[in-house]
Every structure is written in structure tokens, then in C-alpha cells.
Amino acid sequence: MEKRAPKQESFNSRNYFILAAIGSAVGLGNIWRFPYVAYSNGGGAFILPYLIALLSAGIPLLFFDYAIGHRYRGSAPLALRRLGKWTETLGWWQVMVCFVIALYYAAVVAWAGMYTIFSFTQAWGSDPKTFLMQDFLHVAETPGVGFDFVPSLVIPMVVVWAVTLITIALGVNKGLAMANTVFMPLLVVMFLILVVQSLFLPGAADGLNALFTPDWGALGNLGVWAAAFGQIFFSLSVGFGIMTTYASYLKRRTDLTGSGLVVGFANSGFELLAGIGVFAALGFMAQASGLGVNEVVDKGLTLAFVAFPTIISQAPLGPLMGVLFFGSLTVAGITSLLSIVEVLASAVRDKLGIPKVRATLAIGIPLAIISTALLSTTTALYFLDITDEFVNKFGILAVAFACVIAVAWIVRKLPVLSRHLDRFSSFRTGKAWVVFIGAIVPVALGSMLVTEFLDKIG
Ligand code: LEU
């Protein structure tokens, strides 16, 4: 049986909420995912599907999450239960998605933290790939074989988890708001210096040309559109409980849509900046090694942990660049990780009716142990690759699709939410928003799920 939930916390100011929401949105997805996704899906032409995805699905879904969180004031499962009883199940599905993301997201943050330290001495030597695979991760040659512990990975994981759980346990103002107030300005300063530094490297223009040269033909490919929507959902943290939870901490009188626009555009602005910074640096790397930019681009983990160390070793003021790049990755990652864990802690708090500190420990300690156990082993990399792909493609998209269908077409609560949005906003979204959430978003999400599914089995 559900216990009576303890009194809901709330952010002391709307600015804290906006800061925390931007902190959640801007994360690993912006820095290492976006540049590669844009480059490999039409380059400059990708901006078009990307903007369409942002405006037609990302922002409307952000308003959707905000409206549910603010109106029903609770963690994702509780808010959804208040909305339609059985829809609580969807809230737990969102909680599960967050649980799985947290397992590996924390590891990447921990590794980025270690690489910030390595940057001072360029500990990776002349062969960053071998260093990453053999000396740092001790990757097993065959997946599943040699499930051995790598003790040196445990300490950074413990540090990341300790920081995360302590911050969440401190509560919404002393923990979340404080952390974001310190980390977000730090991130902006570090990242801006990094981008300027990259733009001054020889070869930077080649990198930018490679990123922005449009391949208009790519727009005929459904996969490119799917990539744009997928990027927006992950990057904006919409559809899987995070923004619902954060909006539940907003005071009653507020501006939901105005805040949403600030968060949406700040996130995309950061993403674009990351694309510019990363590709300018890759242009330098290509020139320094006498290769084409297309020969040096890599995605995700290898982009961050192999290509960047190579660049840092060759660039003037390399150690500074290393600290800025990996420092940014760590800081951006931790503020996103906080939001993922907040979803879990608040769900447990509401379900068991226990204080936030106890709820944080009750879910956080098992989570930290499982995450550390799985990702401090020689098979960490395989686990990360598989779960990341699976969660992105099926977890996030599928749960967002299910929620939108349930709310719009089964419990039919869109009119209530729309009125709520209009009441607590600086501008009215009216009928247009209902059409986006009721028709355009489900069609977009549905077709992406089918495409991904056919792709998997085909
Ligand atoms: N929005 C975050 C990012 O771009 C991810 C989310 C799971 C918190 O990295």
C-alpha cells in the first residue's frame, strides 16, 4: 500500500529550476554524441531535421513533462498515478530506464574525471587507444569472458557515486540547486575557452567544413530523421521522468512554457557549440596526421577517450585543452547524473512515504554497488555499448511513446494538461500543443520505433 507522501520539496527560485533543468539536459549527449550524429547524418543538412525535431517534438514533450510534474506534484510514478491510476506503471517504466542509464552514465563520468587528471601528464603516452583499452579499462578480448575486477576503476566510481548520492540526499535546494549553481557556470566558462582554443588550431576550418557541408540527399533517408528525434529526446532529457520530477519541485505560480523555451534553446545552443569545438579539434588532428577529417572522426567513447587524447598530445597548450575538455565532460555529466538519480530517489520517497535521505540511500546504495560492480570489470566496455544502444533506441523512445499514447488517447488528459499549461505560462500554447502531443509526436515516435525495430531484425 502506498503511504502518505512526505511534504513535497520545492526550488526556492525558478532560476534554480531552470539551471537544474539545463544541467540535466546538457550532458554527455551534447558533447560526444551530437557532433558525431550530425556529421554522419547529413552534416549541415542535419540542422533541418534537428530543428524540426526540436520544435515539433522536443519542446512540446518538454511542456508535457512539465505540465504533468507541476500539476500532479510528485515523482514520475506518483504524478502519473494521480493522472490516471494505472498510468503509474508507465512511471515505473521511466524509473527503470533511468536506473539502467545511471549504471553506465556514472562510469563515463568517472572515467572522464580520471582523464582530467591524466591530462596534466598526458598519461596515455603515444598510443591513447592501447592505453584506454589495455592500461585503463583492461578490456577482455572476448565479451563475457574474463569477468575480472579492475581495482583501479573502483575508486573513481565510488567518488562519483558518493558525490551524487550526497548531493541528492541534501535535497532540492541545498543539494541539486547548489550543485548546479556551482557546476553550470564552471561548465560554460571551461567549454567556451575550449571552443575558442580549438578554433585557433591549424586545420580547424577543415573540421568545420566537414561538419557543416550539407548532404541534402541525406534528408530523403528516414534513418536521418530518426537520428534527429533520438538525439533531441536523449539530449533534452524528455520523456523518461526527469523533467516531470524537476517540474514537481516548482512553486505553484510559475512560467512553464517560458522556462521550457529557455531550457530547450540553451541545450541546443550548447550542442551546436560542442559540434563546432569538437570538429575544429578534429580538423587539427587530421591536418597534423596528414589524413582527411573523415578518417579521424570517431564516435562516443573513442571520440572522447582516443581522439581527444591524441589531439591534446599534439596541440599547443595541450594539457590545458585536456583539462578543459575532460573537465567539461565530467561536470556536464555529473549534473545530468544528478537528475537521473533524482528520478529514482523521489520515486522511492513517494512510494514508501519515507524521508528523502532514507529514500536516496535505499535506492542509491544498491544502484551504486551494481554500477560499480558491472563497470569496474574487464567487460565494462561491452556492457556500456550494449545498454547504451538498447536504452537509447528502445527504452527512451518506447516509454515516451507509451506515455503520450496513454495520456492523449487512453486516459484523455490532454485538455486538462493544456489548460494547466496555459494557466501557468507566459504565453498560451493552446490547441497547437494538443495537436503536437496527440498526433505529431506519436506518429514521429511510432515510425521511429518501427524503423529501429525493422533495422534490428533486418
Ligand atoms: N540529457 C543528458 C545528456 O545529454 C542525458 C540524460 C539521460 C540525463 O547527456
Side-chain angles (χ1 to χ4, degrees), residues 265-333:
F265 288 110
N267 180 56
S268 288
F270 194 95
E271 206 146 73
L272 205 63
L273 206 62
I276 292 173
V278 165
F279 268 81
L282 288 174
F284 163 74
M285 180 177 166
Q287 195 182 74
S289 37
L291 297 167
V293 177
N294 60 330
E295 291 168 279
V296 298
V297 270
D298 243 321
K299 60 177 172 177
L301 213 64
T302 9
L303 170 71
F305 294 101
V306 177
F308 260 85
T310 313
I311 296 166
I312 291 159
S313 296
Q314 295 167 339
L317 296 176
L320 170 71
M321 191 169 190
V323 171
L324 293 174
F325 177 76
F326 287 110
S328 299
L329 210 54
T330 313
V331 171

Side-chain angles (χ1 to χ4, degrees), residues 19 110 162 231 335 449 456:
L19 211 56
Q231 175 62 25
T335 49
L449 277 168
K456 267 271 127 23

Side-chain angles (χ1 to χ4, degrees), residues 179-364:
N180 279 289
T181 310
V182 173
F183 286 144
M184 291 315 284
L186 180 68
L187 173 64
V188 171
V189 171
M190 287 199 299
F191 209 73
L192 282 178
I193 301 176
L194 176 72
V195 172
V196 172
Q197 193 185 359
S198 307
L199 285 174
F200 277 103
L201 292 173
D206 300 337
L208 296 185
N209 273 336
L211 173 64
F212 288 117
T213 304
D215 165 15
W216 296 111
L219 299 185
N221 178 349
L222 202 62
V224 168
W225 291 84
F229 280 84
Q231 175 62 25
I232 290 287
F233 290 132
F234 185 80
S235 175
L236 209 48
S237 309
V238 289
F240 48 104
I242 292 180
M243 292 299 181
T244 312
T245 308
Y246 273 8
S248 73
Y249 300 137
L250 267 173
K251 294 225 166 74
R252 195 161 163 78
R253 285 178 65 83
T254 192
D255 175 3
L256 294 175
T257 52
S259 315
L261 287 187
V262 174
V263 174
F265 288 110
N267 180 56
S268 288
F270 194 95
E271 206 146 73
L272 205 63
L273 206 62
I276 292 173
V278 165
F279 268 81
L282 288 174
F284 163 74
M285 180 177 166
Q287 195 182 74
S289 37
L291 297 167
V293 177
N294 60 330
E295 291 168 279
V296 298
V297 270
D298 243 321
K299 60 177 172 177
L301 213 64
T302 9
L303 170 71
F305 294 101
V306 177
F308 260 85
T310 313
I311 296 166
I312 291 159
S313 296
Q314 295 167 339
L317 296 176
L320 170 71
M321 191 169 190
V323 171
L324 293 174
F325 177 76
F326 287 110
S328 299
L329 210 54
T330 313
V331 171
I334 202 108
T335 49
S336 298
L337 181 63
L338 287 173
S339 70
I340 307 172
V341 178
E342 183 66 38
V343 172
L344 308 176
S346 63
V348 171
R349 174 203 64 202
D350 287 350
K351 190 69 191 170
L352 303 180
I354 55 178
K356 181 71 169 296
V357 179
R358 282 179 54 200
T360 308
L361 297 179
I363 184 78

Side-chain angles (χ1 to χ4, degrees), residues 345-407:
S346 63
V348 171
R349 174 203 64 202
D350 287 350
K351 190 69 191 170
L352 303 180
I354 55 178
K356 181 71 169 296
V357 179
R358 282 179 54 200
T360 308
L361 297 179
I363 184 78
I365 290 185
L367 172 67
I369 292 175
I370 300 174
S371 158
T372 309
L374 284 175
L375 284 129
S376 305
T377 66
T378 49
T379 36
L381 207 56
Y382 300 110
F383 176 79
L384 192 144
D385 268 354
I386 297 166
T387 30
D388 185 44
E389 175 164 339
F390 189 78
V391 157
N392 273 327
K393 293 201 166 151
F394 299 105
I396 296 180
L397 295 182
V399 74
F401 179 71
C403 271
V404 169
I405 292 291
V407 175

Side-chain angles (χ1 to χ4, degrees), residues 40-65:
S40 49
N41 286 287
F46 184 73
I47 301 293
L48 188 72
Y50 177 84
L51 280 180
I52 293 180
L54 173 69
L55 298 175
S56 71
I59 303 258
L61 261 185
L62 192 60
F63 292 168
F64 177 79
D65 283 355

